[in-house]
């Protein structure tokens, strides 16, 4: 990774996201059990845990891709309820990157990036394109602007997806395993982009198993298992001195290879 | 697969394969494809013999043995087709019972129609925006020109016929069924139980009933339910019947496309803050419709040909007017000529639609494979 200096925290006391006693069920299955989490503005959080532990479900609750049944989720002082206006307001401020990129294959890279600014923020097309080019340069693929997503490599696609989210000028970015569908060298290029983003002071919540990334940028690492937050700590403490047995077991598995 | 041991050349020096057989000249192609063995040679000769016989008979009937000039059926003595009936009846085939001195109005509509449809089909057309406004105004202009009023002599819709009527029915049905079909398809996938139930009931009811029944009900039963004196135009009723019928089919075709869109596309759109209608319009429908272009055009073609069923309720579309022509005592036994001509007209329309859809599919291909 090009960026080797340890990140300095940009965390502030202002609260960006708050989950209070959140519970969620899929039918009979209790996926999220009494989740309490407060994320400060500028804080970088890495969430890890075994498969099926509810990591994706939790961050997808934050922008209402999943609905929770109990508890409160407050994003940017807006409470998530069934109210469509609130949901849309929160989604405007919260960007999300998915494991499978979810770019729009019928639109060019540039159109992917300008779509939401034009139709959600009502920005003039020209201005939206300038902003899009700015972020495409930041993720280092301005020359691909006129291609279609299907013509790019996985790593390039994920960087387009990051640029696309940034074009909305979000206050929070959610990442759901952004590198787990990628080959090793592409993982590096995407992580570099994310590290640079962390440098700008963006509030980030990342579900990832990239422990190097977690050590480098995270202010806090959260370990989830079976729908519960088992442990949360600063990265050094978390990796060197895990408290619970489940965390130890998980870390030994993931660091074994 | 041969094993390593019976390889007859050193690694890296394998012999070149001969070029594909199609590339070694006409004679080579013929020999390879048609005369490669005694059996194939016999089959080829038999096949050519039949093709020759049939082709010869067709050419004789259509061209060499056919009669193109003359006044009455008595001129047709050569044994081939008697195309005179087409010439004699041509105006009826085009305009039905539309009054002769008003044909020019129908002609203007035909010409304007070309300009109205072109911008819908080709998005690279110069000044497309202005043309689209024209397309939107065209139905009103066409209706005014065809039915008259305000200075023009009124022509009862019952007298519209032939190609004119077929085009009016076909194009209205096509233009109406796509948006209605989209709404029905979205409704059927809606989270709102009432909307969903209504759409399902509508689609299943319409699909479960033959078009003839719907046309018949629209023309004979609807008036019974309407208050006395309220009179719906017969053509309008047929139009509504045809449009509703094809939109139910269209809805199911489009629903197939909607189901082919991965969940991630919906989530990508949602996560960016697009509203439901925005994500449908900008993300989901463009992809879904693209996938089902073949199905949509299939429905269009089916609809276009189904318009011939309006003759059941006494409208004289292209086929209806052909039946009138066949019954004419002046031209006896000329059904083959008449129907061949009608078939040709239908074929031209339907084949154009099919070619257009292929062209569109190629154009919209953006190199994405999911
Ligand atoms: N739509 C759904 N309906 C029913 N159960 C679901 C649904 N989505 C997820 N689950 C279940 O909820 C649990 C948590 O899923 P989730 O995707 O949040 O796990 P995860 O921690 O992200 O796992 P991974 O690391 O594999 O992505 C899993 O056991 C999964 O089977
Ligand atoms: Mg997951």
């Amino acid at each position: 990774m090009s960026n080797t200096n340890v990140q300095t925290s940009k965390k502030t006391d202002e609260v960006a996201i708050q989950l209070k006693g959140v519970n969620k069920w899929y039918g009979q299955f209790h996926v999220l059990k009494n989740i309490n989490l407060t994320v400060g503005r500028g804080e970088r959080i890495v969430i890890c845990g075994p498969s099926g532990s509810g990591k994706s479900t939790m961050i997808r609750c934050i922008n209402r891709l999943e609905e929770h049944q109990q508890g409160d989720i407050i994003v940017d002082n807006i409470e998530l309820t069934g109210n469509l206006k609130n949901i849309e307001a929160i989604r405007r401020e919260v960007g999300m990157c998915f494991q499978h990129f979810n770019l729009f294959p019928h639109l060019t890279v540039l159109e992917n990036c300008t779509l939401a600014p034009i139709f959600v923020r009502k920005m003039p097309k020209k201005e939206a394109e300038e902003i899009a080019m700015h972020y495409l340069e930041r993720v280092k693929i301005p020359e691909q602007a006129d291609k279609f997503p299907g013509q790019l490599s996985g790593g390039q696609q994920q960087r387009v997806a990051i640029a696309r989210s940034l074009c909305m000028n979000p206050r929070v970015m959610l990442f759901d395993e952004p590198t787990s569908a990628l080959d090793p060298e592409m993982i590096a290029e995407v992580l570099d982009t994310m590290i640079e983003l962390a440098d700008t002071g963006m509030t980030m919540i990342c579900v990832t198993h990239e422990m190097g990334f977690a050590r480098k940028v995270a202010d806090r690492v959260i370990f989830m298992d079976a729908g519960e937050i088992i442990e949360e700590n600063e990265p050094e403490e978390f990796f060197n001195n895990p408290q619970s047995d489940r965390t130890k077991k998980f870390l030994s598995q993931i660091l074994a290879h | 697969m041969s094993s390593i041991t019976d390889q007859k050349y050193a690694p890296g020096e394998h012999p070149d394969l001969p070029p594909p057989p199609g590339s070694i000249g006409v004679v080579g192609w013929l020999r390879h494809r048609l005369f490669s063995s005694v059996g194939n040679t016999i089959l080829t000769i038999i096949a050519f013999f039949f093709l020759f016989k049939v082709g010869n008979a067709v050419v004789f009937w259509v061209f060499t043995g056919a009669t193109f000039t003359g006044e009455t059926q008595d001129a047709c003595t050569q044994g081939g087709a008697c195309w005179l009936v087409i010439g004699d009846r041509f105006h009826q085939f085009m305009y039905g019972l539309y009054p002769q001195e008003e044909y020019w109005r129908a002609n203007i509509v035909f010409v304007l129609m070309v300009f109205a449809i072109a911008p819908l089909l080709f998005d690279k057309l110069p000044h497309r925006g202005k043309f689209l406004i024209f397309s939107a105004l065209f139905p009103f202009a066409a209706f005014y020109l065809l039915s008259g009023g305000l200075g023009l002599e009124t022509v009862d819709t019952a007298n519209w016929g032939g190609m004119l009527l077929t085009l009016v029915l076909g194009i209205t049905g096509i233009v109406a069924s796509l948006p209605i079909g989209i709404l029905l398809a979205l409704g059927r996938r809606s989270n709102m139980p009432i909307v969903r139930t209504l759409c399902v009931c509508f689609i299943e009811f319409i699909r479960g009933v033959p078009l003839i029944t719907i046309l018949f009900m629209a023309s004979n039963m609807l008036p019974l339910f309407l208050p006395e004196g309220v009179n719906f135009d017969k053509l309008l009723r047929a139009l509504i019947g045809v449009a509703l019928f094809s939109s139910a089919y269209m809805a199911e075709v489009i629903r197939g496309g909607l189901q082919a869109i991965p969940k991630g596309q919906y989530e990508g759109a949602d996560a960016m803050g697009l509203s439901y209608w925005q994500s449908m319009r900008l993300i989901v429908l463009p992809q879904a419709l693209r996938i089902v272009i073949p199905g949509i055009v299939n429905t269009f073609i089916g609809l276009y040909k189904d318009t011939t069923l309006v003759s059941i309720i006494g409208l004289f579309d292209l086929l209806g007017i052909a039946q009138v022509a066949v019954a004419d005592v002046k031209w006896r036994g000329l059904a083959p000529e008449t129907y061949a001509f009608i078939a040709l007209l239908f074929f031209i329309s339907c084949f154009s639609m099919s070619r257009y859809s292929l062209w569109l599919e190629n154009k919209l291909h953006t190199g994405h494979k999911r």
Side-chain angles (χ1 to χ4, degrees):
Chain A
M1 256 151 264
S2 64
N3 195 335
T4 47
N5 56 321
V6 178
Q7 305 285 307
T8 49
S9 178
K10 304 262 191 323
K11 188 186 166 192
T12 64
D13 288 338
E14 200 185 331
V15 174
I17 298 171
Q18 198 168 25
L19 284 80
K20 285 192 282 195
V22 172
N23 279 289
K24 174 170 176 61
W25 288 264
Y26 281 124
Q28 293 296 309
F29 179 60
H30 201 170
V31 238
L32 294 181
K33 299 172 188 158
N34 194 28
I35 300 282
N36 288 293
L37 177 68
T38 305
V39 182
R41 172 135 355 268
E43 194 174 12
R44 279 101 50 158
I45 299 224
V46 165
I47 301 174
C48 59
S51 185
S53 56
K55 309 177 297 288
S56 300
T57 308
M58 184 175 93
I59 73 165
R60 288 156 59 85
C61 279
I62 293 174
N63 63 353
R64 240 314 145 128
L65 289 183
E66 303 288 351
E67 199 174 330
H68 63 284
Q69 279 102 21
Q70 278 180 10
D72 302 322
I73 300 181
I74 299 160
V75 182
D76 231 12
N77 294 323
I78 308 171
E79 178 165 1
L80 261 184
T81 56
N83 185 338
L84 262 181
K85 282 266 168 307
N86 280 6
I87 295 174
E88 280 171 17
I90 286 175
R91 285 175 177 169
R92 277 198 292 273
E93 306 304 330
V94 178
M96 181 157 192
C97 290
F98 301 85
Q99 181 174 3
H100 296 290
F101 330 132
N102 296 354
L103 293 175
F104 306 130
H106 62 301
L107 301 176
T108 63
V109 165
L110 189 66
E111 288 164 346
N112 264 280
C113 293
T114 56
L115 187 84
I118 290 175
F119 288 96
V120 179
R121 293 245 190 260
K122 312 288 178 212
M123 195 181 276
K125 185 160 178 246
K126 207 155 161 44
E127 192 184 337
E129 281 177 357
E130 278 165 21
I131 291 177
M133 285 315 291
H134 168 77
Y135 283 111
L136 285 175
E137 264 157 43
R138 234 175 79 185
V139 301
K140 305 199 177 61
I141 35 175
E143 72 282 357
Q144 312 285 8
D146 294 323
K147 286 199 186 163
F148 287 97
Q151 298 164 329
L152 304 186
S153 75
Q156 290 172 327
Q157 291 191 42
Q158 192 60 290
R159 284 184 285 156
V160 170
I162 294 174
R164 178 177 77 174
S165 297
L166 293 179
C167 285
M168 282 294 278
N169 195 16
R171 310 191 66 175
V172 177
M173 282 289 290
L174 309 175
F175 292 87
D176 190 0
E177 306 203 33
T179 56
S180 54
L182 299 178
D183 295 339
E185 68 269 38
M186 297 178 188
I187 292 182
E189 68 189 40
V190 170
L191 288 182
D192 277 349
T193 308
M194 290 170 63
I195 290 169
E196 276 171 35
L197 183 62
D199 254 346
T200 65
M202 174 70 74
T203 312
M204 291 164 70
I205 302 184
C206 313
V207 175
T208 180
H209 292 144
E210 296 297 329
M211 292 306 150
F213 173 78
R215 274 180 197 273
K216 198 173 292 172
V217 304
D219 293 308
R220 211 167 4 139
V221 180
I222 289 177
F223 175 71
M224 282 183 77
D225 191 14
E228 290 173 293
I229 295 184
I230 303 293
E231 188 165 343
E232 49 181 303
N233 219 328
E234 290 177 0
E236 285 310 307
E237 276 295 295
F238 180 83
F239 289 113
N240 299 338
N241 189 16
Q243 302 296 312
S244 102
D245 289 341
R246 281 196 264 181
T247 318
K248 284 177 196 158
K249 187 159 163 258
F250 175 74
L251 284 178
S252 70
Q253 279 169 350
I254 203 163
L255 299 175
H257 43 83
Chain B
M1 280 280 114
S2 60
S3 70
I4 299 237
T5 43
D6 47 55
Q7 194 173 292
K8 295 196 180 61
Y9 46 86
E13 291 179 12
H14 71 91
D16 288 340
L17 293 171
S23 61
I24 45 179
V26 177
V27 177
W29 186 89
L30 281 177
R31 187 174 297 157
H32 184 81
R33 296 288 168 93
L34 301 178
F35 302 104
S36 57
S37 70
V38 177
N40 281 350
T41 308
I42 293 173
L43 280 180
T44 302
I45 291 172
I46 294 176
F48 270 119
F49 177 74
F50 276 104
L51 279 179
F52 177 76
K53 274 289 188 192
V54 172
N56 213 7
V58 168
V59 170
F60 174 79
W61 191 77
V62 176
F63 299 107
T64 51
T67 308
F68 294 92
T69 50
E71 286 300 316
T72 64
Q73 198 169 359
D74 299 337
C76 301
T77 52
Q78 292 173 279
C82 187
W83 294 122
L84 302 180
V85 63
I86 308 298
D88 187 47
R89 287 271 174 171
F90 185 76
H91 285 140
Q92 279 202 3
F93 288 145
M94 289 299 119
Y95 312 102
L97 304 178
Y98 210 79
Q100 198 145 14
E101 56 283 6
E102 308 292 336
Y103 281 170
W104 60 272
R105 281 155 53 178
N107 289 338
I108 293 182
V109 170
F110 283 140
V111 173
L112 292 183
M113 188 182 73
V114 174
F115 287 97
I117 292 180
L120 298 177
L121 299 186
F122 305 105
D123 63 352
K124 292 270 153 44
L125 220 62
H127 305 293
R128 181 169 183 240
K130 288 174 213 153
F131 274 113
L132 279 179
I133 297 174
F134 175 71
S135 306
L137 297 176
F138 170 74
F140 303 101
F143 179 76
Y144 167 65
L145 274 169
L146 289 177
S147 63
L150 293 177
L152 290 177
E153 196 183 325
T154 50
V155 179
D156 189 19
T157 53
N159 292 334
W160 303 11
M163 193 73 191
L164 175 68
L165 182 64
T166 295
L167 284 175
V168 167
L169 283 166
I171 293 177
T172 318
I174 285 172
V175 170
S177 66
L178 191 59
I180 300 177
I182 290 175
L183 291 179
L184 284 171
L186 292 177
R188 191 166 184 170
R189 288 167 56 89
S190 159
N191 293 328
M192 290 178 271
I194 296 177
V195 173
R196 191 171 56 232
T197 313
L198 281 178
C199 290
V200 171
C201 290
F202 179 85
I203 292 171
E204 296 304 339
F205 173 73
I206 300 269
R207 282 204 308 172
V209 183
L211 176 57
I212 292 192
T213 326
I214 292 176
L215 289 175
F216 195 75
M217 286 197 298
S219 106
N220 294 342
M221 283 169 64
L222 199 62
L224 301 181
F225 300 129
L226 291 174
E228 194 93 22
V230 176
N231 195 16
F232 246 117
D233 187 76
K234 186 148 82 177
L235 175 61
L236 186 61
R237 278 178 276 162
L239 275 177
I240 294 175
V242 167
L244 291 185
F245 186 76
S246 47
S247 54
Y249 280 86
M250 192 60 75
E252 288 298 278
V253 170
I254 292 169
R255 195 165 66 94
L258 291 175
Q259 271 166 352
I261 304 300
K263 199 162 158 255
Q265 294 290 308
Y266 293 87
E267 292 180 350
D270 283 349
M272 294 198 314
L274 294 174
S275 68
Y276 172 80
W277 289 108
Q278 281 175 330
S279 70
M280 288 303 135
R281 182 164 63 87
L282 300 166
I283 310 298
V284 177
L285 282 172
Q287 297 183 61
L289 294 180
R290 185 171 305 185
I291 297 172
V292 294
I293 287 174
I296 291 177
V297 173
N298 209 12
T299 312
F300 281 169
I301 289 177
L303 154 73
Y304 187 74
K305 293 192 290 191
D306 276 351
T307 58
T308 51
L309 290 173
V310 295
S311 52
I312 224 79
I313 57 169
L315 290 172
F316 293 104
D317 75 311
L318 200 44
L319 191 66
I321 214 81
Q323 280 159 345
V324 173
V326 167
D328 187 354
V329 287
K330 199 169 141 218
W331 304 97
R332 271 167 213 257
L334 295 184
E337 285 83 346
T338 313
Y339 287 121
F341 179 68
I342 302 304
L344 177 71
L345 291 183
F346 271 102
F347 181 79
I348 292 173
S349 314
C350 296
F351 189 65
S352 326
M353 287 193 241
S354 142
R355 297 312 296 181
Y356 173 75
S357 90
L358 281 183
W359 176 83
L360 192 65
E361 275 176 62
N362 273 333
K363 188 175 84 89
L364 294 179
H365 186 75
T366 59
H368 63 276
K369 296 264 186 297
R370 264 187 301 269

